[in-house]
Amino acid sequence: MSQSTGTTKSMPRQGLRMGPGGPGGLTGESARNTRSTVVRLFSYLRSFRIQLTLVAILVVISTLFRLAGPILLGQAIDNYVATNDSGGVMRTALWMIAVYVGAGIAGVVQGFMMVTIGQQFVADIREQIFSHIQTLSMAYHDRNRVGDLMSRISNDSETINRTLSNGLIEFTSNILLLGGILIAMFFLNWQLATAALIIIPIMVYITVLVTQYSRKSFRKVQRNLGELNTVMEENIAGVRVVKAFAREDDVIDKFEVVNAEQRRVGITADIITAALGPMFTTMMTVTIAVTALLGGWLALPPRNIVEVGIIATFVVYIMNFFRPMRGIAMLYNQLQSSLAGAERIFTVLDAEPTVRDAEGAELLGHIQGKVHFDNVSFAYEPEKPVLRNVNLTAEPGQTIALVGPTGAGKTTIISLLSRFYDVTEGAISVDDWDIRKVQQASLREQLGIVLQDTFLFSGTVLENIRYGRLNASDEEVIAAAAMANADRFIRLLPNGYQTEVSEQGNNFSEGQRQLISIARSILADPRILILDEATSSVDTRTEMQIQEALLRLMDGRTSFVIAHRLSTIRKADLVLVVNDHQIIERGTHEELLEQRGFYHDLYMSQYRRAEVSA
């Protein structure tokens, strides 16, 4: 089947190999390397450095304005209110309005810029994850669940976006504001500043204690969310099977278990976050009271160490001090969630394809279609062989039927030819080209695959057929459909070739989906065909149409057929009997029957019975 390639905008690659990697699957555990994750995230922000510099300048301006407001308030009390200078009070009030409006404008602009940066960042990283997933080998997809991968692309990246769009700028602003308040407080009166800051060690201890538990909780939230998505994706996509076996109650029970666990860990994480607010509010109130009492004592004669305006300034500063402290603690929890999501994303990005193009791999051009397996052995896991010492040669245009019991290794032979996996021992060649030495895309462009479980994409019928060759004209698509016996039923659809395909093609029968898939392969015009031609679930008339279409498709092409039907086996040039992970018999249908071996027994017990019942 033809395969399209495109140019994809990619993220900066600086940090791509920094985290722990390898071909392993998704374990659900975070990398637990906070420093590496943070450095890696910031490496992706290098392309936004100009915008981030402008944001930093606005943050500094906004912070200075927020620091100036309480000082102006204190000056107004001491210099103008005490002397009944209404003009001075008015001028100071106008200055206060100006600085707070300026701080607000700077905040709006920086917020707008960070939202833009965050959305672009998350769009880029989603694109990178999705593109990287396309490069991963089938072994990776076999080990990992679709719902969990989807969760990493959507939920985890959105968590990072929320932190970037709102949390990062607020976190930086709060840090600057805290530093500025500390400097201003000690500059105004060191005694009051010292008294106000006695509470800080308690705040830091509480923050550290809470965040020790929060990160674990947020890791569990992210991990369980992936599990929840998996359950939903599998059971909604497989709703026909669920209903066919009347398993609705079982599915609901399973969902309730996973959902209850997500609720439990979510409650734990949210309680930790919610507890910080009341704790900081209580500490703020106590600190204001202590500072006000000490300030009043210092202001009374005979001490007269501090003025009333400075006490008012301190009260405002303390309120402004605890707000960013509370914000930092809350944002730290949000940061933990983002880091957990980033670690899960980087686990995907660090996964390496187990099947990759060799250095200097050549382009496989036009081929005749000769296929040779030279003493091929394969194992998905060490010490668990799936194929042993497979030797076969398919000449151009021959039809090779693969028969044998379930699990014998028929599908694995097909998967190795498609190079979804690499052989453990031996070699596979196409026209004397070792398939490990040619580019995977060029090999698969020579292959046409028609599976028993046909997959249709969202879009129109025309677009699904054109998936075989993206540059095909409408006339070529229609001609391919006609050769596949699909044109007639397509034209009877409400919108003909422009009819929209529902999810996984559920608005078509299995036979219609099969005919569309055959049309797709006809359009691709491959030299080698791989067919899983089961038609047991379609009616006799549709089965005849499918068989006619398959014969047209196979004409002149080398074909490997996982044979389920006697007619296919009889017409095959070579029948390979696969059992116990190896080819145990080979020959034509008549030759194998004469041997009265395994094939003969299989034929008499399975194929012959199927022929009689038909």
Side-chain angles (χ1 to χ4, degrees):
M1 183 177 292
S2 65
Q3 182 170 323
S4 63
T5 57
T7 302
T8 303
K9 181 181 176 182
S10 61
M11 292 287 294
R13 310 290 287 190
Q14 291 91 342
L16 203 57
R17 298 275 78 84
M18 289 178 61
L26 308 179
T27 64
E29 291 297 326
S30 301
R32 299 177 183 273
N33 192 335
T34 302
R35 183 179 180 277
S36 174
T37 303
V38 171
V39 170
R40 194 164 172 177
L41 277 173
F42 274 96
S43 73
Y44 288 132
L45 293 172
R46 290 175 184 170
S47 59
F48 302 104
R49 53 184 175 271
I50 296 176
Q51 298 97 311
L52 290 173
T53 300
L54 293 175
V55 170
I57 293 172
L58 289 171
V59 169
V60 171
I61 292 173
S62 175
T63 302
L64 291 175
F65 283 166
R66 291 169 68 183
L67 289 171
I71 293 176
L72 290 171
L73 174 63
Q75 289 180 345
I77 292 173
D78 291 336
N79 297 335
Y80 304 121
V81 174
T83 59
N84 292 321
D85 185 351
S86 59
V89 171
M90 183 60 67
R91 288 193 301 273
T92 305
L94 291 175
W95 274 110
M96 290 180 66
I97 292 172
V99 297
Y100 281 122
V101 169
I105 293 174
V108 169
V109 175
Q110 71 195 27
F112 172 80
M113 293 182 68
M114 284 307 299
V115 166
T116 303
I117 292 171
Q119 288 293 339
Q120 184 60 56
F121 173 88
V122 78
D124 288 346
I125 204 166
R126 278 176 180 159
E127 188 172 326
Q128 185 180 2
I129 302 168
F130 185 81
S131 300
H132 184 68
I133 287 174
Q134 305 308 308
T135 70
L136 296 176
S137 306
M138 286 304 301
Y140 183 88
H141 293 282
D142 289 342
R143 289 195 303 267
N144 298 292
R145 296 168 298 184
V146 174
D148 194 45
L149 289 174
M150 290 173 59
S151 178
R152 294 172 192 241
I153 295 174
S154 56
N155 297 327
D156 292 340
S157 59
E158 185 57 35
T159 301
I160 299 173
N161 174 45
R162 287 196 298 269
T163 299
L164 279 178
S165 299
N166 303 310
L168 181 62
I169 192 67
E170 190 175 347
F171 189 86
T172 305
S173 177
N174 285 339
I175 292 291
L176 289 176
L177 185 60
L178 284 177
I181 288 174
L182 285 174
I183 294 171
M185 287 171 69
F186 275 98
F187 178 79
L188 292 172
N189 187 278
W190 68 267
Q191 295 100 324
L192 288 178
T194 302
L197 298 181
I198 289 175
I199 199 73
I200 284 184
I202 301 174
M203 296 165 57
V204 171
Y205 174 77
I206 292 174
T207 302
V208 171
L209 187 65
V210 169
T211 52
Q212 284 179 347
Y213 292 99
S214 67
R215 189 172 189 190
K216 295 179 182 178
S217 298
F218 282 113
R219 276 200 184 110
K220 291 179 181 178
V221 168
Q222 297 296 103
R223 184 169 62 248
N224 282 25
L225 193 57
E227 178 71 19
L228 191 65
N229 279 341
T230 296
V231 173
M232 289 190 293
E233 192 273 335
E234 287 180 347
N235 289 287
I236 293 175
V239 66
R240 286 175 178 264
V241 178
V242 172
K243 289 185 175 297
F245 287 89
R247 293 290 184 266
E248 291 91 343
D249 291 340
D250 295 330
V251 166
I252 293 171
D253 290 342
K254 182 178 181 181
F255 179 82
E256 287 178 349
V257 170
V258 180
N259 195 35
E261 177 62 15
Q262 176 68 6
R263 182 189 67 231
R264 187 187 66 79
V265 296
I267 288 173
T268 302
D270 289 342
I271 285 176
I272 292 172
T273 302
L276 286 172
M279 286 190 294
F280 276 107
T281 300
T282 301
M283 287 187 287
M284 179 185 71
T285 305
V286 171
T287 305
I288 289 175
V290 171
T291 303
L293 289 172
L294 178 60
W297 183 78
L298 293 174
L300 292 173
R303 288 165 293 278
N304 296 323
I305 297 175
V306 65
E307 296 176 328
V308 175
I310 291 180
I311 297 174
T313 301
F314 262 78
V315 169
V316 176
Y317 272 150
I318 290 170
M319 294 174 63
N320 289 341
F321 187 85
F322 273 85
R323 284 172 185 159
M325 279 293 292
R326 176 186 174 183
I328 288 173
M330 302 282 283
L331 290 168
Y332 190 79
N333 282 330
Q334 183 179 333
L335 179 62
Q336 299 311 305
S337 180
S338 298
L339 289 177
E343 288 168 342
R344 282 164 48 84
I345 286 172
F346 292 148
T347 301
V348 178
L349 291 177
D350 287 335
E352 297 279 2
T354 54
V355 176
R356 58 173 67 239
D357 288 340
E359 186 174 350
E362 298 190 46
L363 202 65
L364 183 63
H366 180 75
I367 62 172
Q368 297 300 314
K370 179 181 178 180
V371 176
H372 179 62
F373 279 61
D374 183 14
N375 204 34
V376 167
S377 296
F378 176 73
Y380 292 103
E381 299 178 16
E383 310 302 328
K384 294 182 179 180
V386 179
L387 289 177
R388 292 196 303 265
N389 308 115
V390 172
N391 291 280
L392 69 89
T393 299
E395 298 295 340
Q398 279 192 330
T399 296
I400 309 298
L402 301 172
V403 301
T406 302
K410 304 185 298 294
T411 301
T412 301
I413 291 175
I414 299 305
S415 296
L416 292 175
L417 175 58
S418 305
R419 212 183 164 211
F420 292 152
Y421 302 89
D422 273 334
V423 299
T424 306
E425 296 178 10
I428 301 174
S429 61
V430 172
D431 280 15
D432 299 323
W433 283 89
D434 188 327
I435 63 174
R436 291 170 296 188
K437 296 181 180 179
V438 300
Q439 296 177 17
Q440 295 177 67
S442 68
L443 168 66
R444 290 171 188 153
E445 285 175 353
Q446 303 290 341
L447 303 177
I449 302 177
V450 180
L451 301 176
Q452 178 181 1
D453 297 322
T454 302
F455 188 91
L456 298 183
F457 297 91
S458 59
T460 65
V461 174
L462 188 79
E463 291 167 342
N464 267 276
I465 298 175
R466 185 177 278 138
Y467 198 81
R469 179 157 52 90
L470 296 179
N471 60 356
S473 66
D474 290 355
E475 291 74 17
E476 289 174 316
V477 172
I478 295 171
M483 288 186 64
N485 287 337
D487 179 69
R488 183 176 179 181
F489 90 80
I490 292 174
R491 291 185 183 277
L492 294 176
L493 295 173
N495 296 307
Y497 282 86
Q498 298 302 321
T499 300
E500 289 288 331
V501 176
S502 67
E503 185 176 357
Q504 299 183 6
N506 289 331
N507 55 334
F508 295 96
S509 69
E510 290 190 27
Q512 290 173 331
R513 291 200 297 270
Q514 193 83 321
L515 292 174
I516 291 173
S517 177
I518 294 170
R520 182 192 291 168
S521 290
I522 290 175
L523 185 65
D525 193 23
R527 297 307 308 155
I528 300 173
L529 282 175
I530 295 171
L531 307 175
D532 186 349
E533 49 98 48
T535 55
S536 58
S537 57
V538 301
D539 60 82
T540 304
R541 183 170 180 272
T542 303
E543 181 178 352
M544 293 178 58
Q545 291 178 331
I546 292 174
Q547 288 305 311
E548 289 177 4
L550 286 175
L551 288 174
R552 294 192 191 108
L553 178 60
M554 295 164 64
D555 184 33
R557 296 180 171 92
T558 307
S559 303
F560 289 82
V561 184
I562 298 178
H564 300 264
R565 304 169 66 257
L566 185 59
S567 60
T568 301
I569 300 171
R570 283 176 169 169
K571 295 175 183 176
D573 298 294
L574 179 64
V575 179
L576 300 177
V577 183
V578 185
N579 188 40
D580 194 24
H581 314 303
Q582 56 189 324
I583 297 175
I584 60 172
E585 295 176 1
R586 66 182 70 211
T588 63
H589 169 67
E590 291 77 13
E591 291 170 347
L592 290 174
L593 285 181
E594 290 176 3
Q595 293 178 15
R596 302 187 70 83
F598 185 89
Y599 179 80
H600 177 272
D601 296 339
L602 185 68
Y603 167 76
M604 297 304 294
S605 64
Q606 179 177 338
Y607 293 106
R608 182 64 178 171
R609 185 172 62 247
E611 182 182 36
V612 172
S613 63

